[in-house]
mmCIF file of all heavy atoms in Angstrom:
data_model
loop_
_atom_site.group_PDB
_atom_site.id
_atom_site.type_symbol
_atom_site.label_atom_id
_atom_site.label_comp_id
_atom_site.label_asym_id
_atom_site.label_seq_id
_atom_site.Cartn_x
_atom_site.Cartn_y
_atom_site.Cartn_z
ATOM 1 N N LYS C 141 42.070 -56.636 21.659
ATOM 2 C CA LYS C 141 41.711 -57.510 22.824
ATOM 3 C C LYS C 141 41.145 -56.649 23.905
ATOM 4 O O LYS C 141 41.676 -55.606 24.263
ATOM 5 C CB LYS C 141 42.886 -58.307 23.325
ATOM 6 C CG LYS C 141 42.555 -59.343 24.320
ATOM 7 C CD LYS C 141 43.726 -60.156 24.752
ATOM 8 C CE LYS C 141 43.343 -61.197 25.862
ATOM 9 N NZ LYS C 141 44.536 -61.951 26.249
ATOM 10 N N GLY C 142 40.036 -57.083 24.489
ATOM 11 C CA GLY C 142 39.357 -56.348 25.592
ATOM 12 C C GLY C 142 38.498 -55.191 25.151
ATOM 13 O O GLY C 142 38.109 -54.459 26.016
ATOM 14 N N LYS C 143 38.229 -55.030 23.846
ATOM 15 C CA LYS C 143 37.382 -53.973 23.330
ATOM 16 C C LYS C 143 36.002 -54.525 23.145
ATOM 17 O O LYS C 143 35.818 -55.696 22.754
ATOM 18 C CB LYS C 143 37.903 -53.401 22.047
ATOM 19 C CG LYS C 143 39.346 -52.827 22.150
ATOM 20 C CD LYS C 143 39.427 -51.627 23.059
ATOM 21 C CE LYS C 143 40.931 -51.109 23.091
ATOM 22 N NZ LYS C 143 41.042 -49.997 24.018
ATOM 23 N N TYR C 144 34.981 -53.656 23.293
ATOM 24 C CA TYR C 144 33.624 -54.092 23.218
ATOM 25 C C TYR C 144 32.843 -53.163 22.265
ATOM 26 O O TYR C 144 33.049 -52.017 22.124
ATOM 27 C CB TYR C 144 32.889 -54.091 24.569
ATOM 28 C CG TYR C 144 33.358 -55.226 25.506
ATOM 29 C CD1 TYR C 144 34.585 -55.128 26.139
ATOM 30 C CD2 TYR C 144 32.653 -56.424 25.581
ATOM 31 C CE1 TYR C 144 34.985 -56.197 26.947
ATOM 32 C CE2 TYR C 144 33.077 -57.454 26.407
ATOM 33 C CZ TYR C 144 34.246 -57.305 27.067
ATOM 34 O OH TYR C 144 34.622 -58.339 27.893
ATOM 35 N N GLN C 145 31.934 -53.757 21.554
ATOM 36 C CA GLN C 145 31.019 -53.020 20.673
ATOM 37 C C GLN C 145 29.607 -53.129 21.159
ATOM 38 O O GLN C 145 29.219 -53.954 21.977
ATOM 39 C CB GLN C 145 31.112 -53.539 19.181
ATOM 40 C CG GLN C 145 30.613 -54.970 19.048
ATOM 41 C CD GLN C 145 30.714 -55.483 17.600
ATOM 42 O OE1 GLN C 145 30.658 -54.656 16.686
ATOM 43 N NE2 GLN C 145 30.863 -56.768 17.408
ATOM 44 N N LEU C 146 28.748 -52.204 20.666
ATOM 45 C CA LEU C 146 27.361 -52.081 21.081
ATOM 46 C C LEU C 146 26.476 -52.991 20.227
ATOM 47 O O LEU C 146 26.622 -53.017 18.984
ATOM 48 C CB LEU C 146 26.859 -50.664 21.036
ATOM 49 C CG LEU C 146 27.565 -49.683 21.941
ATOM 50 C CD1 LEU C 146 27.145 -48.271 21.617
ATOM 51 C CD2 LEU C 146 27.316 -50.004 23.432
ATOM 52 N N VAL C 147 25.526 -53.674 20.836
ATOM 53 C CA VAL C 147 24.527 -54.433 20.146
ATOM 54 C C VAL C 147 23.193 -54.141 20.894
ATOM 55 O O VAL C 147 23.159 -53.546 21.957
ATOM 56 C CB VAL C 147 24.777 -55.975 20.145
ATOM 57 C CG1 VAL C 147 26.001 -56.288 19.307
ATOM 58 C CG2 VAL C 147 24.857 -56.509 21.559
ATOM 59 N N VAL C 148 22.085 -54.587 20.238
ATOM 60 C CA VAL C 148 20.780 -54.401 20.866
ATOM 61 C C VAL C 148 20.491 -55.568 21.751
ATOM 62 O O VAL C 148 20.702 -56.742 21.333
ATOM 63 C CB VAL C 148 19.693 -54.233 19.748
ATOM 64 C CG1 VAL C 148 18.323 -54.029 20.378
ATOM 65 C CG2 VAL C 148 20.019 -53.056 18.861
ATOM 66 N N LYS C 149 20.040 -55.414 22.941
ATOM 67 C CA LYS C 149 19.756 -56.487 23.863
ATOM 68 C C LYS C 149 18.535 -57.284 23.322
ATOM 69 O O LYS C 149 17.654 -56.738 22.624
ATOM 70 C CB LYS C 149 19.519 -56.029 25.303
ATOM 71 C CG LYS C 149 18.216 -55.410 25.589
ATOM 72 C CD LYS C 149 18.103 -55.167 27.127
ATOM 73 C CE LYS C 149 16.714 -54.692 27.474
ATOM 74 N NZ LYS C 149 16.542 -54.495 28.904
ATOM 75 N N GLU C 150 18.471 -58.566 23.701
ATOM 76 C CA GLU C 150 17.442 -59.460 23.155
ATOM 77 C C GLU C 150 16.041 -58.965 23.434
ATOM 78 O O GLU C 150 15.182 -59.083 22.616
ATOM 79 C CB GLU C 150 17.711 -60.831 23.677
ATOM 80 C CG GLU C 150 16.874 -61.936 23.040
ATOM 81 C CD GLU C 150 17.086 -62.004 21.525
ATOM 82 O OE1 GLU C 150 18.220 -61.787 21.053
ATOM 83 O OE2 GLU C 150 16.101 -62.261 20.781
ATOM 84 N N GLY C 151 15.855 -58.479 24.634
ATOM 85 C CA GLY C 151 14.507 -57.985 24.986
ATOM 86 C C GLY C 151 13.948 -56.839 24.051
ATOM 87 O O GLY C 151 12.794 -56.780 23.759
ATOM 88 N N SER C 152 14.887 -56.038 23.640
ATOM 89 C CA SER C 152 14.526 -54.901 22.709
ATOM 90 C C SER C 152 14.144 -55.432 21.329
ATOM 91 O O SER C 152 13.247 -54.957 20.637
ATOM 92 C CB SER C 152 15.637 -53.908 22.581
ATOM 93 O OG SER C 152 15.944 -53.353 23.866
ATOM 94 N N TRP C 153 14.810 -56.509 20.890
ATOM 95 C CA TRP C 153 14.453 -57.150 19.601
ATOM 96 C C TRP C 153 13.118 -57.737 19.706
ATOM 97 O O TRP C 153 12.228 -57.621 18.816
ATOM 98 C CB TRP C 153 15.428 -58.259 19.259
ATOM 99 C CG TRP C 153 16.723 -57.751 18.703
ATOM 100 C CD1 TRP C 153 17.961 -57.902 19.286
ATOM 101 C CD2 TRP C 153 16.955 -57.086 17.463
ATOM 102 N NE1 TRP C 153 18.915 -57.326 18.435
ATOM 103 C CE2 TRP C 153 18.314 -56.860 17.313
ATOM 104 C CE3 TRP C 153 16.144 -56.655 16.451
ATOM 105 C CZ2 TRP C 153 18.895 -56.199 16.238
ATOM 106 C CZ3 TRP C 153 16.681 -56.042 15.310
ATOM 107 C CH2 TRP C 153 18.053 -55.824 15.220
ATOM 108 N N GLN C 154 12.779 -58.437 20.801
ATOM 109 C CA GLN C 154 11.526 -59.033 21.003
ATOM 110 C C GLN C 154 10.382 -57.999 21.037
ATOM 111 O O GLN C 154 9.306 -58.216 20.484
ATOM 112 C CB GLN C 154 11.469 -59.910 22.246
ATOM 113 C CG GLN C 154 12.432 -61.120 22.234
ATOM 114 C CD GLN C 154 12.103 -62.046 21.063
ATOM 115 O OE1 GLN C 154 10.907 -62.282 20.764
ATOM 116 N NE2 GLN C 154 13.085 -62.563 20.487
ATOM 117 N N SER C 155 10.601 -56.863 21.697
ATOM 118 C CA SER C 155 9.648 -55.819 21.743
ATOM 119 C C SER C 155 9.341 -55.280 20.419
ATOM 120 O O SER C 155 8.166 -55.009 20.049
ATOM 121 C CB SER C 155 10.193 -54.728 22.719
ATOM 122 O OG SER C 155 9.271 -53.629 22.781
ATOM 123 N N LEU C 156 10.448 -55.089 19.612
ATOM 124 C CA LEU C 156 10.228 -54.578 18.197
ATOM 125 C C LEU C 156 9.431 -55.542 17.412
ATOM 126 O O LEU C 156 8.463 -55.123 16.685
ATOM 127 C CB LEU C 156 11.586 -54.316 17.544
ATOM 128 C CG LEU C 156 11.548 -54.037 16.076
ATOM 129 C CD1 LEU C 156 10.920 -52.693 15.796
ATOM 130 C CD2 LEU C 156 12.965 -54.053 15.454
ATOM 131 N N LYS C 157 9.713 -56.830 17.503
ATOM 132 C CA LYS C 157 9.017 -57.791 16.715
ATOM 133 C C LYS C 157 7.489 -57.869 17.061
ATOM 134 O O LYS C 157 6.635 -58.023 16.175
ATOM 135 C CB LYS C 157 9.617 -59.223 16.849
ATOM 136 C CG LYS C 157 10.933 -59.422 16.125
ATOM 137 C CD LYS C 157 11.294 -60.845 15.954
ATOM 138 C CE LYS C 157 10.474 -61.589 14.929
ATOM 139 N NZ LYS C 157 11.026 -62.940 14.635
ATOM 140 N N GLN C 158 7.174 -57.664 18.331
ATOM 141 C CA GLN C 158 5.787 -57.631 18.740
ATOM 142 C C GLN C 158 5.050 -56.472 18.175
ATOM 143 O O GLN C 158 3.885 -56.599 17.713
ATOM 144 C CB GLN C 158 5.686 -57.589 20.299
ATOM 145 C CG GLN C 158 6.146 -58.917 20.979
ATOM 146 C CD GLN C 158 5.225 -60.049 20.587
ATOM 147 O OE1 GLN C 158 4.054 -59.963 20.475
ATOM 148 N NE2 GLN C 158 5.910 -61.265 20.420
ATOM 149 N N ARG C 159 5.717 -55.325 18.076
ATOM 150 C CA ARG C 159 5.099 -54.127 17.502
ATOM 151 C C ARG C 159 4.888 -54.284 15.995
ATOM 152 O O ARG C 159 3.844 -53.923 15.474
ATOM 153 C CB ARG C 159 5.930 -52.892 17.802
ATOM 154 C CG ARG C 159 6.005 -52.549 19.287
ATOM 155 C CD ARG C 159 6.967 -51.407 19.522
ATOM 156 N NE ARG C 159 6.442 -50.139 19.017
ATOM 157 C CZ ARG C 159 7.176 -49.015 19.028
ATOM 158 N NH1 ARG C 159 8.370 -49.035 19.470
ATOM 159 N NH2 ARG C 159 6.666 -47.903 18.582
ATOM 160 N N LEU C 160 5.872 -54.856 15.302
ATOM 161 C CA LEU C 160 5.801 -55.099 13.883
ATOM 162 C C LEU C 160 4.708 -56.133 13.561
ATOM 163 O O LEU C 160 3.966 -56.026 12.606
ATOM 164 C CB LEU C 160 7.120 -55.464 13.343
ATOM 165 C CG LEU C 160 8.294 -54.470 13.447
ATOM 166 C CD1 LEU C 160 9.565 -55.067 12.865
ATOM 167 C CD2 LEU C 160 7.954 -53.134 12.799
ATOM 168 N N LYS C 161 4.641 -57.103 14.451
ATOM 169 C CA LYS C 161 3.620 -58.186 14.236
ATOM 170 C C LYS C 161 2.248 -57.603 14.361
ATOM 171 O O LYS C 161 1.304 -58.022 13.544
ATOM 172 C CB LYS C 161 3.846 -59.302 15.238
ATOM 173 C CG LYS C 161 2.943 -60.516 15.083
ATOM 174 C CD LYS C 161 3.175 -61.545 16.100
ATOM 175 C CE LYS C 161 4.432 -62.379 15.785
ATOM 176 N NZ LYS C 161 4.609 -63.496 16.801
ATOM 177 N N ALA C 162 2.027 -56.739 15.287
ATOM 178 C CA ALA C 162 0.650 -56.113 15.474
ATOM 179 C C ALA C 162 0.287 -55.301 14.281
ATOM 180 O O ALA C 162 -0.926 -55.338 13.833
ATOM 181 C CB ALA C 162 0.676 -55.216 16.721
ATOM 182 N N ILE C 163 1.235 -54.607 13.679
ATOM 183 C CA ILE C 163 0.937 -53.793 12.462
ATOM 184 C C ILE C 163 0.664 -54.675 11.216
ATOM 185 O O ILE C 163 -0.214 -54.383 10.407
ATOM 186 C CB ILE C 163 2.136 -52.783 12.167
ATOM 187 C CG1 ILE C 163 2.307 -51.807 13.327
ATOM 188 C CG2 ILE C 163 1.868 -52.066 10.904
ATOM 189 C CD1 ILE C 163 3.585 -50.989 13.239
ATOM 190 N N THR C 164 1.413 -55.756 11.108
ATOM 191 C CA THR C 164 1.295 -56.551 9.866
ATOM 192 C C THR C 164 0.396 -57.780 10.082
ATOM 193 O O THR C 164 0.422 -58.755 9.291
ATOM 194 C CB THR C 164 2.645 -57.053 9.432
ATOM 195 O OG1 THR C 164 3.364 -57.731 10.551
ATOM 196 C CG2 THR C 164 3.503 -55.892 8.989
ATOM 197 N N ARG C 165 -0.347 -57.859 11.161
ATOM 198 C CA ARG C 165 -1.296 -58.954 11.371
ATOM 199 C C ARG C 165 -2.408 -58.830 10.317
ATOM 200 O O ARG C 165 -3.000 -57.797 10.132
ATOM 201 C CB ARG C 165 -1.848 -58.911 12.799
ATOM 202 C CG ARG C 165 -2.668 -60.124 13.176
ATOM 203 C CD ARG C 165 -3.024 -60.054 14.647
ATOM 204 N NE ARG C 165 -1.966 -60.290 15.528
ATOM 205 C CZ ARG C 165 -1.469 -59.457 16.431
ATOM 206 N NH1 ARG C 165 -2.024 -58.328 16.629
ATOM 207 N NH2 ARG C 165 -0.452 -59.755 17.170
ATOM 208 N N LYS C 166 -2.776 -59.975 9.728
ATOM 209 C CA LYS C 166 -3.745 -59.971 8.623
ATOM 210 C C LYS C 166 -5.125 -59.590 9.071
ATOM 211 O O LYS C 166 -5.885 -59.039 8.325
ATOM 212 C CB LYS C 166 -3.773 -61.368 7.934
ATOM 213 C CG LYS C 166 -4.304 -62.512 8.756
ATOM 214 C CD LYS C 166 -4.389 -63.794 8.017
ATOM 215 C CE LYS C 166 -5.149 -64.885 8.725
ATOM 216 N NZ LYS C 166 -4.751 -65.328 9.891
ATOM 217 N N THR C 167 -5.386 -59.747 10.350
ATOM 218 C CA THR C 167 -6.748 -59.372 10.831
ATOM 219 C C THR C 167 -6.861 -57.933 11.274
ATOM 220 O O THR C 167 -7.961 -57.421 11.714
ATOM 221 C CB THR C 167 -7.097 -60.276 12.023
ATOM 222 O OG1 THR C 167 -6.125 -60.295 13.019
ATOM 223 C CG2 THR C 167 -7.302 -61.746 11.506
ATOM 224 N N THR C 168 -5.707 -57.189 11.276
ATOM 225 C CA THR C 168 -5.728 -55.857 11.705
ATOM 226 C C THR C 168 -6.448 -55.028 10.591
ATOM 227 O O THR C 168 -6.070 -55.081 9.492
ATOM 228 C CB THR C 168 -4.289 -55.280 11.902
ATOM 229 O OG1 THR C 168 -3.622 -56.022 12.915
ATOM 230 C CG2 THR C 168 -4.305 -53.763 12.229
ATOM 231 N N PRO C 169 -7.533 -54.294 10.955
ATOM 232 C CA PRO C 169 -8.280 -53.569 9.946
ATOM 233 C C PRO C 169 -7.546 -52.314 9.501
ATOM 234 O O PRO C 169 -7.537 -51.246 10.059
ATOM 235 C CB PRO C 169 -9.554 -53.132 10.724
ATOM 236 C CG PRO C 169 -9.175 -53.135 12.108
ATOM 237 C CD PRO C 169 -8.100 -54.190 12.318
ATOM 238 N N ALA C 170 -6.769 -52.468 8.421
ATOM 239 C CA ALA C 170 -5.985 -51.314 7.848
ATOM 240 C C ALA C 170 -5.651 -51.570 6.368
ATOM 241 O O ALA C 170 -5.562 -52.710 5.918
ATOM 242 C CB ALA C 170 -4.671 -51.198 8.658
ATOM 243 N N THR C 171 -5.593 -50.476 5.627
ATOM 244 C CA THR C 171 -5.181 -50.547 4.214
ATOM 245 C C THR C 171 -3.672 -50.786 4.168
ATOM 246 O O THR C 171 -2.918 -50.550 5.174
ATOM 247 C CB THR C 171 -5.516 -49.289 3.461
ATOM 248 O OG1 THR C 171 -4.779 -48.187 4.031
ATOM 249 C CG2 THR C 171 -7.057 -49.046 3.538
ATOM 250 N N LEU C 172 -3.176 -51.124 3.031
ATOM 251 C CA LEU C 172 -1.697 -51.379 2.898
ATOM 252 C C LEU C 172 -0.988 -50.066 3.089
ATOM 253 O O LEU C 172 0.119 -50.042 3.689
ATOM 254 C CB LEU C 172 -1.403 -51.917 1.519
ATOM 255 C CG LEU C 172 0.036 -52.255 1.158
ATOM 256 C CD1 LEU C 172 0.553 -53.395 2.172
ATOM 257 C CD2 LEU C 172 0.238 -52.707 -0.228
ATOM 258 N N ALA C 173 -1.486 -48.914 2.603
ATOM 259 C CA ALA C 173 -0.935 -47.619 2.793
ATOM 260 C C ALA C 173 -0.768 -47.283 4.296
ATOM 261 O O ALA C 173 0.207 -46.758 4.706
ATOM 262 C CB ALA C 173 -1.631 -46.603 2.111
ATOM 263 N N GLU C 174 -1.794 -47.589 5.058
ATOM 264 C CA GLU C 174 -1.835 -47.313 6.437
ATOM 265 C C GLU C 174 -0.778 -48.195 7.161
ATOM 266 O O GLU C 174 -0.081 -47.744 8.058
ATOM 267 C CB GLU C 174 -3.155 -47.572 7.106
ATOM 268 C CG GLU C 174 -4.208 -46.554 6.696
ATOM 269 C CD GLU C 174 -5.631 -46.930 7.093
ATOM 270 O OE1 GLU C 174 -5.847 -48.091 7.385
ATOM 271 O OE2 GLU C 174 -6.502 -45.953 7.102
ATOM 272 N N ARG C 175 -0.691 -49.460 6.760
ATOM 273 C CA ARG C 175 0.312 -50.357 7.335
ATOM 274 C C ARG C 175 1.747 -49.831 7.033
ATOM 275 O O ARG C 175 2.606 -49.834 7.940
ATOM 276 C CB ARG C 175 0.207 -51.754 6.749
ATOM 277 C CG ARG C 175 -1.082 -52.519 7.173
ATOM 278 C CD ARG C 175 -1.094 -53.923 6.607
ATOM 279 N NE ARG C 175 -2.367 -54.525 6.661
ATOM 280 C CZ ARG C 175 -2.892 -55.273 7.641
ATOM 281 N NH1 ARG C 175 -2.176 -55.398 8.717
ATOM 282 N NH2 ARG C 175 -4.082 -55.782 7.578
ATOM 283 N N MET C 176 1.986 -49.423 5.811
ATOM 284 C CA MET C 176 3.299 -48.934 5.430
ATOM 285 C C MET C 176 3.634 -47.665 6.275
ATOM 286 O O MET C 176 4.770 -47.523 6.695
ATOM 287 C CB MET C 176 3.309 -48.566 3.955
ATOM 288 C CG MET C 176 3.181 -49.800 3.029
ATOM 289 S SD MET C 176 4.604 -50.853 3.069
ATOM 290 C CE MET C 176 4.185 -51.955 1.657
ATOM 291 N N HIS C 177 2.706 -46.798 6.430
ATOM 292 C CA HIS C 177 2.957 -45.585 7.234
ATOM 293 C C HIS C 177 3.299 -45.885 8.657
ATOM 294 O O HIS C 177 4.292 -45.355 9.233
ATOM 295 C CB HIS C 177 1.691 -44.622 7.152
ATOM 296 C CG HIS C 177 1.818 -43.391 7.925
ATOM 297 N ND1 HIS C 177 2.759 -42.383 7.613
ATOM 298 C CD2 HIS C 177 1.242 -42.947 9.065
ATOM 299 C CE1 HIS C 177 2.607 -41.375 8.489
ATOM 300 N NE2 HIS C 177 1.727 -41.735 9.386
ATOM 301 N N ARG C 178 2.518 -46.771 9.303
ATOM 302 C CA ARG C 178 2.760 -47.170 10.703
ATOM 303 C C ARG C 178 4.082 -47.925 10.853
ATOM 304 O O ARG C 178 4.882 -47.724 11.800
ATOM 305 C CB ARG C 178 1.603 -47.965 11.249
ATOM 306 C CG ARG C 178 0.338 -47.083 11.438
ATOM 307 C CD ARG C 178 -0.913 -47.917 11.524
ATOM 308 N NE ARG C 178 -0.891 -48.851 12.708
ATOM 309 C CZ ARG C 178 -1.781 -49.807 12.865
ATOM 310 N NH1 ARG C 178 -2.731 -49.994 11.999
ATOM 311 N NH2 ARG C 178 -1.692 -50.651 13.918
ATOM 312 N N LEU C 179 4.368 -48.783 9.848
ATOM 313 C CA LEU C 179 5.698 -49.440 9.831
ATOM 314 C C LEU C 179 6.839 -48.487 9.829
ATOM 315 O O LEU C 179 7.798 -48.601 10.579
ATOM 316 C CB LEU C 179 5.785 -50.425 8.662
ATOM 317 C CG LEU C 179 5.234 -51.878 8.811
ATOM 318 C CD1 LEU C 179 5.340 -52.532 7.475
ATOM 319 C CD2 LEU C 179 5.917 -52.574 9.874
#
């Protein structure tokens, strides 16, 4: 009781998703190998 664990704050999750979305967007001019490397 009274102990706390660490989690990632919501804003950091949203920031990550935006970066991943930019890499995996179908209109982004990149090969699959380039996408995998950036991911």
Side-chain angles (χ1 to χ4, degrees):
K141 188 177 179 181
K143 304 294 183 183
Y144 288 80
Q145 63 181 333
L146 297 171
V147 295
V148 180
K149 78 173 187 180
E150 191 57 36
S152 300
W153 283 114
Q154 294 303 320
S155 176
L156 172 66
K157 287 197 73 171
Q158 289 299 320
R159 294 174 71 186
L160 297 179
K161 185 181 282 187
I163 296 170
T164 55
R165 188 174 288 119
K166 69 179 190 298
T167 55
T168 300
T171 64
L172 185 62
E174 290 170 340
R175 293 182 196 272
M176 294 294 190
H177 179 68
R178 288 161 62 190
L179 273 177

